[in-house]
Amino acid sequence: MVEWTDSERAIINSIFSNLDYEEIGRKSLCRCLIVYPWTQRYFGAFGNLYNAETIMANPLIAAHGTKILHGLDRALKNMDDIKNTYAELSLLHSDKLHVDPDNFRLLADCLTVVIAAKMGTAFTVETQVAWQKFLSVVVSALGRQYH
Amino acid sequence: MSLSAKQKATVKDFFGKMATRSDDIGAEALSRLVAVYPQTKSYFAHWKSASPGSAPVRKHGITIMGGVYDAVGKIDDLKAGLLSLSELHAFMLRVDPVNFKLLAHCMLVCMSMVFPEEFTPQVHVAVDKFLAQLALALCEKYR
């Protein structure tokens, strides 16, 4: 089981309570599709992903980014059992969506870069440590049910 | 995944903008590396302190960033340009290549913090590719 200090819990909760899900979700998914273009393979039905500009203007991508970010809420509410909280979602990504779990890490990295841009100097070393710990637990849980 | 001419120009342009803050970013990036990925401290056991923000860590972060800037100038032939640095990393330092990716990520986070407007997705992909090419050139002599 993952141990969280009070400080880590406070940091993670603070980030989420100040989060603009639409803005950060959209920016993170767009950045992932642009920086790691092979991730576009999962978005064949999402319309025009021809270049960076069209990706960033795509409303389906924006909506999906928001959805993904809200998916993190479950981990936030169940920080002491993220592994089981995501068991079902992990199976979904494995059996229905067929997403290579390495992509979770790529999206997590993009999310970190976007949050860092938003928070600036408030994204302290301590904040980054807690945030990346949280994301790595989520990423691990999402990949856990693959078989 | 080699850099297009446009991406090389993007890298040079962004690093130019970054120049006045490059020391800060270098120092911060290495601090974050040892904080977020504590296993990287294993390479710095010979220092008095390898904790984030400590003097040796900051100083070395600045040194590394200096090397990165040097590489920008050699962007058209990184393999040749970084030959002696590659020998250093291969035969003396023997840093596991996985760590170059980790440090690159920390550099990108710092760049994003300091230049939120300029570090667009397009700049991000160009810089990420450049850092990956740099790492490859550093690994050239490994085996």
Side-chain angles (χ1 to χ4, degrees), chain A residues 31 34-36 38 52-53 56 109 112-113 116-117 120-121 123-125 128-129 132, chain B residues 1 28 32 35-37 52 105-106 108-109 112-113 116 119-122 124-125 128:
Chain A
R31 196 166 279 251
I34 294 166
V35 176
Y36 309 110
W38 54 94
E53 287 73 21
M56 292 195 282
D109 282 350
T112 302
V113 167
T121 48
F123 195 64
T124 60
V125 174
Q128 185 178 351
V129 173
Q132 290 207 212
Chain B
M1 296 197 259
E28 265 303 301
R32 281 159 195 266
V36 178
Y37 309 104
H105 169 72
C106 292
L108 297 174
V109 168
S112 180
M113 279 169 63
F119 197 65
T120 61
Q122 294 91 325
H124 180 160
V125 64
D128 192 33

Side-chain angles (χ1 to χ4, degrees), chain B residues 28-85:
Chain B
E28 265 303 301
L30 195 63
S31 278
R32 281 159 195 266
L33 178 75
V34 296
V36 178
Y37 309 104
Q39 68 274 18
T40 56
K41 286 188 288 189
S42 63
Y43 292 98
F44 306 117
H46 56 287
W47 286 350
K48 194 178 280 176
S49 167
S51 55
S54 69
V57 169
R58 290 191 65 86
K59 178 163 177 263
H60 197 63
I62 293 172
T63 302
I64 293 176
M65 190 53 91
V68 173
Y69 263 84
D70 189 60
V72 175
K74 300 170 177 174
I75 203 168
D76 289 314
D77 194 352
L78 287 170
K79 225 187 272 188
L82 299 180
L83 206 51
S84 50
L85 261 183

